[in-house]
Amino acid sequence: MSQIDPQIEESWKKVLINEFNSPYFLSLKQFLIERKKKHTIYPPGPLIFNAFNQTPLDRVKVVIIGQDPYHGPGQAHGLCFSVPEGIKLPPSLQNIFKEIADDIGTPPPASGDLTRWAKQGVLLLNATLTVRAHTPGSHQNKGWEQFTDAVIKFVSDYRDNIVFLLWGRYAQNKEELIDSTKHLILKAAHPSPFSARNGFFGCKHFSKTNQWLEEHGIQKIEW
């Protein structure tokens, strides 16, 4: 198979080109080609790398790690926890907005589109970047996790003073990829309704993130 030329922002393409042309990614691409013949895949192709396109490498300040894209119609657009304008807010996102309101006083917005965060430097990274419609977890263990682990490690190795927000056990398993001597790692329960009361509510990650950024001379995030 010929080399892959992904539609991804240039700074990311430059540092990840070896991943794109490695055997596991070529295999992943073939898997997606075959699945698209039979099934609806989310998010749409042009939005698979939306997190990278909205947040160039040199602008990353914060990394939030999700698991799968949303698997319902119109929900996934390549940013973890985010949904496009006009789409009903998923429960986890409602809880994120509730914690922001309790933490820093910003009232919950009507829209669940987190592009405004991404444009400020919040890399909204799902571990798996595609999913089959109505089938959560369907594209796990096909190569995406190897790719996104490489992304996390690259940000850790080549940037300084990044805040990593690890919500839930799945995200917290990525901690081993992050150099805690030069980055801030904040951990809490997942914001889903099943676990938010076990430590997500009251975690104050949004004010803690901004405090760290300002202490290091970095403009804070307007959550």
Side-chain angles (χ1 to χ4, degrees):
M1 189 181 293
S2 61
Q3 287 201 333
I4 294 175
D5 183 25
Q7 300 306 302
I8 189 171
E9 191 272 334
E10 281 300 320
S11 67
W12 287 110
K13 182 187 288 190
K14 184 177 179 180
V15 299
L16 296 171
I17 196 66
N18 287 340
E19 300 298 322
F20 286 122
N21 290 305
S22 64
Y24 83 85
F25 203 94
L26 296 170
S27 175
L28 170 62
K29 183 183 181 185
Q30 193 59 39
F31 165 81
L32 292 173
I33 289 170
E34 293 300 320
R35 288 299 185 273
K36 282 182 180 180
K37 293 175 182 175
K38 302 177 183 177
H39 306 294
T40 299
I41 305 298
Y42 297 133
L47 294 176
I48 290 173
F49 295 116
N50 194 25
F52 303 90
N53 295 334
Q54 298 291 346
T55 314
L57 176 59
D58 64 353
R59 294 180 57 194
V60 176
K61 304 175 183 177
V62 181
V63 179
I64 300 178
I65 300 172
Q67 191 164 351
D68 262 13
Y70 296 121
H71 54 84
Q75 291 181 304
H77 67 143
L79 306 175
C80 73
F81 294 106
S82 179
V83 290
E85 186 85 28
I87 298 294
K88 180 181 177 182
L89 269 62
S92 291
L93 186 55
Q94 291 181 38
N95 287 338
I96 289 170
F97 287 159
K98 181 178 188 300
E99 175 58 23
I100 290 172
D102 291 344
D103 183 9
I104 58 176
T106 302
S111 171
D113 187 345
L114 303 181
T115 302
R116 59 192 178 83
W117 291 5
K119 288 186 177 299
Q120 295 179 75
V122 182
L123 182 64
L124 295 163
L125 182 68
N126 275 315
T128 303
L129 298 187
T130 58
V131 70
R132 176 180 166 184
H134 311 297
T135 316
S138 50
H139 289 185
Q140 291 178 4
N141 303 314
K142 303 298 182 184
W144 278 130
E145 295 91 343
Q146 187 171 342
F147 175 76
T148 53
D149 281 0
V151 170
I152 295 165
K153 191 169 190 315
F154 190 90
V155 173
S156 173
D157 289 348
Y158 292 96
R159 293 292 313 280
D160 295 313
N161 302 319
I162 304 295
V163 182
F164 290 84
L165 302 182
L166 308 183
W167 299 334
R169 187 171 300 166
Y170 185 89
Q172 288 163 19
N173 285 339
K174 308 296 184 181
E175 183 177 6
E176 65 186 24
L177 302 169
I178 304 164
D179 183 350
S180 61
T181 67
K182 62 174 183 170
H183 303 294
L184 177 63
I185 300 172
L186 296 175
K187 296 184 285 187
H190 194 278
S192 84
F194 302 106
S195 56
R197 298 192 183 282
N198 296 331
F200 181 77
F201 290 141
C203 70
K204 299 191 181 299
H205 278 187
F206 305 95
S207 60
K208 290 176 180 177
T209 293
N210 280 346
Q211 181 181 347
W212 168 274
L213 293 175
E214 292 191 302
E215 285 174 356
H216 292 84
I218 304 166
Q219 187 172 359
K220 68 181 183 180
I221 304 297
E222 297 292 335
W223 299 107

